[in-house]
Amino acid sequence: MPRISQGERPGIVFLLLNQDQWEIRNLEIDGGAAHPSEQMGGIHVQATIAGKVLNHIVVSDCIVRNIGGSVKLYESCVIWVGVPGWNDDNGLTTGFNDVRIENNRIYNSDRNGILVWTTASAGSRSEFQPGLIPSKNVVIRGNRLEDIGGDAILVLGSDRPLVEGNVVRRSCLKTGDPQYGRDYNCSSAAIWLHHCEKGIMQYNAVYDCKKQMFNNDGMAYDFDFNCNGNILQYNYSCNNEGGFLLIMNTATNNKARYNISENDQNHVLFCVGSSSEMNEVYNNTFYIDSGASYIVPNAWFVNNIFMADKQLS
C-alpha cells in the first residue's frame, strides 16, 4: 500500500476542504509523533461553505495508525467527515450526501476513530434547528478499530445512517482520565448516534471499553440527545466498563433488540430519560459472571433475559 507518514509535524495528514466526488482507497497513513495538545487527523473531509451539500465521499480499505492528538478536541480524529463548529451559534447550513467509510483498519489514535459530524444545533440548545441540513446516505461498515483514546464511531446530525459490521476493541482509554482535567467533554462511548433520525446500528461488536474517573459513559452503544426512531439490533458487547447501552433524555422512540451483552459492568443499561419517551429494550440477553452491574430503567423493558452466575449488586 502507498504509505504517507506525518513524521514529526502536527496537523492533518490528508485533508479535503469543500470538495466532493472523492474516493480514497488503499492508503496506509501513519500520524508519526504524538502532539497531545493539538489537533491531529488522518483523513479529513471538511465543509465550510453555507448552503452547500457535499456528495459522494468514500474512504475504504485504508490502514491508519498513530494519530496522537488532543483528547479534548473532537476534531482530533482518524477519519472525520464534518462541519467544524457544529454547535456554534453561527452553525453552517450544510451537510453531506452519500458518505461511505468501509473496511478500514484504525490503530492507536486520539481522540476519536470515525466521526461523521454535521451541524445540529446552535449554542446550548439540543434540538435539531430549522434550516440546518442533516447528512444522508451515511454508511460506516466493516471497520476495525483498536486502542482509541475516546469515541470509536460517532454519527451526529444524520438522517437514516447505517453503522454495521464494525469491531471496536479498547476505546475510551483516555477521555475522563484525571490527568487531562475537566475543561472539555470528558464523556465518550464506543459506537453511538447523536441527533439522528431512523438510523440503524447492527452486527457490531465492542470489547473492553474503558471508563475513566470523569467519563460518565464508557459503554458500548448510545442513543444520545435527540435521537428519534433509531434501532440497535444484532450487536455483541463484552467486558465494557461503562456497560452496554446509554439512552439519553430527549431520545425518543428508539429500539434496542436482539443484542447480547456479556460481562458488561457498571450501568449495564443506563436509560436516564423518561418512559414517556417510548424507548424500548426487548428480546436482548444480558449475561454476567464477574463484577457488578445495575440498571437505570427509564424505558420500556420487555422479554429480556438476565443471567448471573452469582449474586451481584
Side-chain angles (χ1 to χ4, degrees):
M1 301 173 74
R3 183 172 183 269
I4 304 172
S5 176
Q6 186 78 340
E8 297 296 320
R9 295 168 297 181
I12 300 166
V13 180
F14 190 112
L15 171 64
L16 298 176
L17 181 61
N18 297 318
Q19 299 182 60
D20 58 6
Q21 305 295 340
W22 273 83
E23 298 189 5
I24 305 164
R25 303 181 185 273
N26 301 304
L27 294 178
E28 181 176 354
I29 291 178
D30 191 319
H35 295 271
S37 62
E38 301 186 54
Q39 177 187 343
M40 295 285 287
I43 299 170
H44 281 209
V45 181
Q46 293 186 5
T48 63
I49 299 176
K52 180 177 176 60
V53 175
L54 301 183
N55 291 285
H56 192 68
I57 301 295
V58 177
V59 182
S60 73
D61 299 285
C62 294
I63 296 173
V64 191
R65 64 180 83 248
N66 302 326
I67 306 298
S70 171
V71 300
K72 299 182 179 183
L73 299 175
Y74 277 100
E75 292 88 345
S76 281
C77 181
V78 175
I79 300 174
W80 192 85
V81 177
V83 180
W86 70 274
N87 205 29
D88 193 295
D89 284 332
N90 299 313
L92 296 167
T93 53
T94 193
F96 297 86
N97 178 57
D98 187 19
V99 175
R100 287 186 286 128
I101 302 173
E102 300 176 320
N103 303 320
N104 300 284
R105 304 295 181 264
I106 295 172
Y107 306 101
N108 187 32
S109 297
D110 303 321
R111 162 179 173 151
N112 301 307
I114 298 171
L115 267 65
V116 178
W117 186 267
T118 310
T119 304
S121 62
S124 61
R125 293 170 291 186
S126 61
E127 69 272 14
F128 204 99
Q129 297 295 305
L132 301 180
I133 303 172
S135 291
K136 296 184 178 181
N137 300 305
V138 173
V139 177
I140 301 175
R141 175 190 290 133
N143 302 282
R144 303 291 183 268
L145 301 95
E146 298 184 8
D147 299 313
I148 307 299
D151 310 282
I153 298 174
L154 164 58
V155 181
L156 183 148
S158 288
D159 181 26
R160 294 175 172 82
L162 175 62
V163 181
E164 68 174 6
N166 303 282
V167 177
V168 176
R169 295 182 183 274
R170 298 179 301 278
S171 60
C172 307
L173 297 180
K174 296 182 179 179
T175 45
D177 189 321
Q179 69 173 302
Y180 300 110
R182 305 187 71 170
D183 59 338
Y184 69 106
N185 183 7
C186 306
S187 297
S188 62
I191 300 177
W192 55 294
L193 304 179
H194 190 310
H195 279 86
C196 286
E197 294 271 346
K198 299 180 180 177
I200 296 176
M201 296 183 283
Q202 63 183 9
Y203 308 120
N204 303 288
V206 177
Y207 303 84
D208 303 322
C209 185
K210 189 74 174 174
K211 185 181 185 302
Q212 296 285 0
M213 181 183 296
F214 298 143
N215 183 359
N216 294 318
D217 300 346
M219 62 283 296
Y221 306 102
D222 172 15
F223 295 126
D224 216 277
F225 292 116
N226 291 94
C227 279
N228 179 59
N230 301 283
I231 296 174
L232 177 74
Q233 62 183 6
Y234 306 117
N235 298 281
Y236 180 61
S237 175
C238 180
N239 196 36
N240 297 295
E241 290 188 0
F244 167 67
L245 174 64
L246 168 65
I247 303 178
M248 286 297 294
N249 58 305
T250 72
T252 56
N253 301 299
N254 302 288
K255 302 180 189 299
R257 62 190 186 189
Y258 318 135
N259 303 287
I260 296 174
S261 165
E262 178 181 356
N263 281 334
D264 288 325
Q265 306 295 307
N266 208 289
H267 34 45
V268 63
L269 288 164
F270 197 38
C271 308
V272 300
S274 165
S275 59
S276 65
E277 292 170 322
M278 299 306 295
N279 296 297
E280 300 177 50
V281 179
Y282 63 90
N283 291 5
N284 303 282
T285 299
F286 301 91
Y287 169 78
I288 183 169
D289 64 1
S290 63
S293 295
Y294 64 93
I295 296 171
V296 177
N298 298 327
W300 291 93
F301 290 79
V302 178
N303 202 40
N304 299 285
I305 298 172
F306 296 90
M307 303 172 62
D309 271 3
K310 61 182 181 180
Q311 184 174 355
L312 302 170
S313 61

